[in-house]
């Protein structure tokens, strides 16, 4: 399957959409049309030229028919705010000492921090 990177490699075509018969047909038509309009001939072109032309045709058709999947963009949930992040960090910070010594005192400290954190999360 084609794996066409666009925009400097940050974005990629959703070529899985070619499984959809309508999208696949549109893609085939665009590829066939471009191949017919190509002025590269077998007799005069090198293999590299033919390959680059074919690659350009396939990627351009994919770009026009398939959606783009954006990479590197992190999705954040609406509730994950600074108000939640800081208590979670504190909870993790007291969890590590408990894991090391596993005393009832360190567990009580963790439990108290956990209750404080969950009450803030529920607001």
């Amino acid at each position: 399957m084609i794996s066409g990177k666009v925009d400097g490699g940050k974005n990629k075509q959703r070529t899985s959409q070619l499984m959809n018969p309508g999208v696949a047909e549109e893609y085939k038509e665009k590829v066939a049309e471009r191949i017919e309009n190509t002025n590269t001939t077998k007799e005069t072109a090198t293999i590299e030229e033919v390959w680059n032309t074919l690659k350009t045709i396939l990627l351009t058709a994919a770009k026009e028919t398939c959606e783009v999947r954006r990479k590197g963009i992190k999705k954040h949930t609406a509730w994950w705010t600074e108000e939640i992040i800081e208590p979670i960090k504190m909870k993790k910070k007291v969890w590590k000492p408990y894991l090391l010594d596993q005393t009832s005192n360190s567990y009580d400290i963790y439990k108290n921090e956990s209750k404080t954190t969950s009450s803030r999360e529920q607001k």
Side-chain angles (χ1 to χ4, degrees):
M1 196 172 283
I2 302 167
S3 177
K5 292 182 180 179
V6 291
D7 299 332
K10 291 184 179 181
N11 297 328
K12 216 173 187 185
Q13 299 305 134
R14 291 185 185 263
T15 53
S16 61
Q17 292 179 333
L18 293 174
M19 301 293 270
N20 178 330
V23 175
E25 188 59 36
E26 182 182 353
Y27 176 76
K28 287 177 189 176
E29 288 171 5
K30 289 186 183 225
V31 168
E33 178 183 322
R34 285 193 169 80
I35 288 175
E36 286 177 16
N37 295 334
T38 302
N39 57 7
T40 305
T41 61
K42 293 179 188 176
E43 294 81 25
T44 60
T46 66
I47 291 178
E48 288 295 320
E49 290 172 331
V50 172
W51 167 245
N52 285 330
T53 302
L54 182 60
K55 179 180 168 184
T56 303
I57 289 170
L58 295 174
L59 291 177
T60 304
K63 187 176 182 180
E64 292 176 1
T65 56
C66 302
E67 294 176 1
V68 174
R69 177 180 69 213
R70 296 190 288 172
K71 293 175 70 176
I73 297 172
K74 295 183 179 181
K75 295 180 181 178
H76 296 285
T77 56
W79 58 268
W80 190 255
T81 62
E82 288 297 322
E83 203 173 284
I84 299 296
I85 293 171
E86 288 305 315
I88 298 287
K89 284 183 182 178
M90 287 302 297
K91 183 175 145 183
K92 286 182 180 180
K93 193 180 269 189
V94 296
W95 174 250
K96 289 178 183 179
Y98 168 68
L99 285 178
L100 291 175
D101 62 9
Q102 296 191 359
T103 62
S104 61
N105 183 38
S106 61
Y107 180 72
D108 290 339
I109 293 170
Y110 167 73
K111 191 83 165 167
N112 185 33
E113 191 63 42
S114 183
K115 284 181 184 177
T116 305
T117 301
S118 63
S119 67
R120 288 181 186 169
E121 289 174 6
Q122 292 174 0
K123 288 182 180 180

